[in-house]
Amino acid sequence: MVPCRIPRAGWSPYNRDRLFNGGTLTRCKLKAFFVVCTLAAIPLCAQEEIPGTTVFLSGPITSIEVIGLKRTKPHVARYPLEQFLGREGADLNLNEVEAAVRNTGILEPVLVELAKAADSGADGGLALRVTVEEKWSIFPVPLVMAGSGETSFGLFLADTNAFGLRDQAVLGGIYGSSGWRAMAMYNLTADRRGLPDFTSLVMYNRRERKDSDREKRIYRQYTADELRLSLGLQYPFTRHLSGSITTSFTSISLARNDPPQVSTLVEIPERGAKLLALGPVLTLRYSTWDGFLLSQQSLSLRYSYSFALEGTSLQTVEFQGVYEQSLTPGFRLFVRSGALWKTGEDPLMEEGPQKAQVDILPRQFSARQYAGFSAGLEKYLFKAKYGTLSVLGAWQGVFSRGPISGTEFDHGPSGGIRFYLSRLALPALGAGVAYNMNSGLFQFTFSLGMGF
């Protein structure tokens, strides 16, 4: 038996979209992060030695054993490791094994070892034995978000491993300066044996919507109530390629009896909307582990057609791309991009800049088309028992097109810090700053809990 110990590190943030569909961090006034962020381009400390990535037992891997499970069903833990069946033990990459375990979002690898399989016989088969710790999966999630003139507080009860099947259940709400939101969600993860995953969402949102330009000047303000019901199926074609189809019903009504608090430069929408949407999503995702940070390379393409029961029908095309590559252990390059294209003229359907993966525009900025990118470096600072602290800096650019602002291009630097908890399937703390070179606007972020 050749045991190979695995270094502990924090949980990656990339599974959180299973909980909240792509949430983002908000802004907070922390100018000191400009200094910290510039350091992200420099390896800040000597790299720690990582155990060798090759196991020298020879023979094919014929069985999988997972030790340490308490709540998680055995087949759920074994599934991501089945890709190593048939591999040659002498060529096994331990970082690849650890990435597969961590990518579940609910398990923390402690020990990886190869041993002679009990039924190996004359063929010399090997057993891949992985000892894990289960992350805390049932917990309250307090939420604090501040920055750019908005503050929100919320509380959610989350279970990221419901019934031991890696299902996700969330129930809770948010109250803030612009309104409130209540939601319930359940994502059912199938056994991955020919069955699709199932997702469901119910959300009610009442907010005072403020649409602004790049200088944060509000040109339209009104109160809207939104009810959204969504059902979806996701099917994995391969281990890295999956497709899904989602149908949703959205009802938006306007509160006409509220007097405007500011004079609007643009007329508010004349009526609400009721839309029935249907569309496919194609996702390609691959992840790697360098001993400190979990990196991903992913592409996602979404199309939907919204049939109007009330209002205007429209089409939507959305693209998301992420490329993260470890340069040295704990120090990586990242490029994140996003694009959105919408038809129609209804201002209710305009979106904020979060779809473009940028922070340099105000959250209230409103447009119908975006194409943006964020490219930079992230460096872990230290790793402790309960999590990992990292610092990052980036340069961002974004094209936007809206009926008021027209076609614009904005660019500028951004950066911040992230703290990832090892035993919880969510990022615990984030803060940062971004500067728009075109408008001269600073954007500050702070979040405790999950970003929306």
Side-chain angles (χ1 to χ4, degrees):
M1 183 183 298
V2 180
C4 300
R5 293 200 173 271
I6 299 295
R8 294 174 183 270
W11 181 84
S12 166
Y14 305 114
N15 281 333
R16 66 185 178 179
D17 58 325
R18 294 178 60 84
L19 290 179
F20 297 105
N21 294 325
T24 58
L25 298 176
T26 50
R27 292 79 174 126
C28 160
K29 296 185 178 180
L30 298 172
K31 295 185 178 180
F33 289 128
F34 264 127
V35 178
V36 178
C37 298
T38 58
L39 300 177
I42 306 172
L44 298 177
C45 55
Q47 302 299 331
E48 299 180 15
E49 291 294 328
I50 297 178
T53 59
T54 303
V55 178
F56 295 103
L57 284 182
S58 60
I61 297 174
T62 58
S63 62
I64 303 293
E65 299 177 18
V66 182
I67 301 171
L69 298 178
K70 297 179 180 178
R71 188 177 181 224
T72 305
K73 303 298 183 184
H75 72 270
V76 173
R78 282 198 303 265
Y79 174 75
L81 299 173
E82 291 178 358
Q83 60 181 298
F84 303 107
L85 289 174
R87 298 267 192 102
E88 173 59 42
D91 299 327
L92 182 64
N93 186 309
L94 296 185
N95 284 340
E96 190 177 353
V97 175
E98 183 170 4
V101 175
R102 290 181 181 278
N103 206 37
T104 65
I106 60 173
L107 300 176
E108 181 84 4
V110 176
L111 180 67
V112 175
E113 53 190 347
L114 283 179
K116 291 293 183 180
D119 57 350
S120 60
D123 62 358
L126 301 176
L128 175 59
R129 186 174 300 159
V130 181
T131 302
V132 301
E133 287 184 355
E134 294 183 335
K135 297 186 179 187
W136 301 327
S137 59
I138 302 177
F139 44 82
V141 183
L143 183 67
V144 179
M145 300 184 295
S148 300
E150 293 188 12
T151 303
S152 299
F153 303 90
L155 180 64
F156 289 84
L157 181 62
D159 186 352
T160 59
N161 191 16
F163 306 106
L165 298 173
R166 205 160 62 90
D167 294 353
Q168 294 85 38
V170 179
L171 177 66
I174 302 174
Y175 180 81
S177 54
S178 60
W180 59 273
R181 173 189 303 175
M183 63 172 287
M185 186 189 65
Y186 193 90
N187 290 343
L188 187 151
T189 303
D191 192 14
R192 302 288 188 174
R193 314 245 181 221
L195 297 176
D197 293 348
F198 174 79
T199 63
S200 60
L201 170 72
V202 178
M203 184 183 69
Y204 187 84
N205 185 22
R206 181 179 178 87
R207 64 171 176 146
E208 183 183 19
R209 177 163 174 171
K210 301 177 182 179
D211 297 333
S212 75
D213 58 15
R214 59 157 61 148
E215 281 82 22
K216 210 175 175 180
R217 294 190 296 259
I218 297 175
Y219 58 81
R220 182 169 51 214
Q221 179 173 332
Y222 58 93
T223 301
D225 295 307
E226 178 180 351
L227 172 66
R228 185 166 187 257
L229 309 174
S230 176
L231 297 174
L233 294 176
Q234 183 181 37
Y235 184 82
F237 300 116
T238 68
R239 193 166 297 274
H240 304 294
L241 178 64
S242 65
S244 63
I245 186 166
T246 302
T247 181
S248 64
F249 171 75
T250 302
S251 175
I252 303 175
S253 59
L254 304 180
R256 293 292 183 181
N257 56 348
D258 290 349
Q261 299 178 7
V262 298
S263 58
T264 57
L265 303 178
V266 180
E267 290 294 329
I268 66 173
E270 296 182 357
R271 58 182 178 178
K274 289 183 174 62
L275 301 173
L276 185 63
L278 178 68
V281 183
L282 192 64
T283 302
L284 178 66
R285 187 173 186 273
Y286 179 78
S287 60
T288 57
W289 173 253
D290 67 4
F292 297 89
L293 298 171
L294 184 66
S295 299
Q296 69 164 319
Q297 296 84 43
S298 66
L299 294 173
S300 176
L301 183 63
R302 177 191 302 267
Y303 170 81
S304 68
Y305 181 83
S306 299
F307 175 76
L309 305 175
E310 178 183 334
T312 305
S313 299
L314 72 149
Q315 300 180 73
T316 302
V317 178
E318 184 178 344
F319 167 82
Q320 297 285 320
V322 176
Y323 177 81
E324 297 170 335
Q325 178 62 50
S326 177
L327 303 177
T328 61
F331 183 57
R332 69 181 176 189
L333 167 73
F334 65 85
V335 179
R336 301 178 184 125
S337 60
L340 175 72
W341 177 79
K342 279 191 173 186
T343 63
E345 301 295 328
D346 194 338
L348 290 173
M349 300 299 112
E350 294 178 12
E351 298 269 5
Q354 295 79 21
K355 298 287 187 179
Q357 302 265 42
V358 296
D359 302 311
I360 55 176
L361 289 173
R363 286 183 64 84
Q364 300 94 345
F365 187 87
S366 182
R368 294 187 186 130
Q369 286 90 38
Y370 290 98
F373 73 91
S374 178
L377 299 165
E378 183 173 6
K379 176 70 174 68
Y380 98 99
L381 295 179
F382 67 83
K383 180 175 57 177
K385 178 180 180 181
Y386 294 104
T388 301
L389 180 70
S390 70
V391 61
L392 66 157
W395 193 270
Q396 299 184 347
V398 57
F399 285 98
S400 61
R401 183 176 181 273
I404 305 302
S405 58
T407 302
E408 297 180 337
F409 176 74
D410 295 86
H411 65 100
S414 70
I417 60 172
R418 303 287 185 268
F419 181 72
Y420 307 116
L421 284 174
S422 298
R423 296 296 303 277
L424 285 181
L426 55 87
L429 178 68
V433 65
Y435 177 70
N436 191 320
M437 300 286 290
N438 300 85
S439 65
L441 181 67
F442 284 94
Q443 296 280 82
F444 304 99
T445 72
F446 173 79
S447 68
L448 173 65
M450 279 251 176
F452 279 77

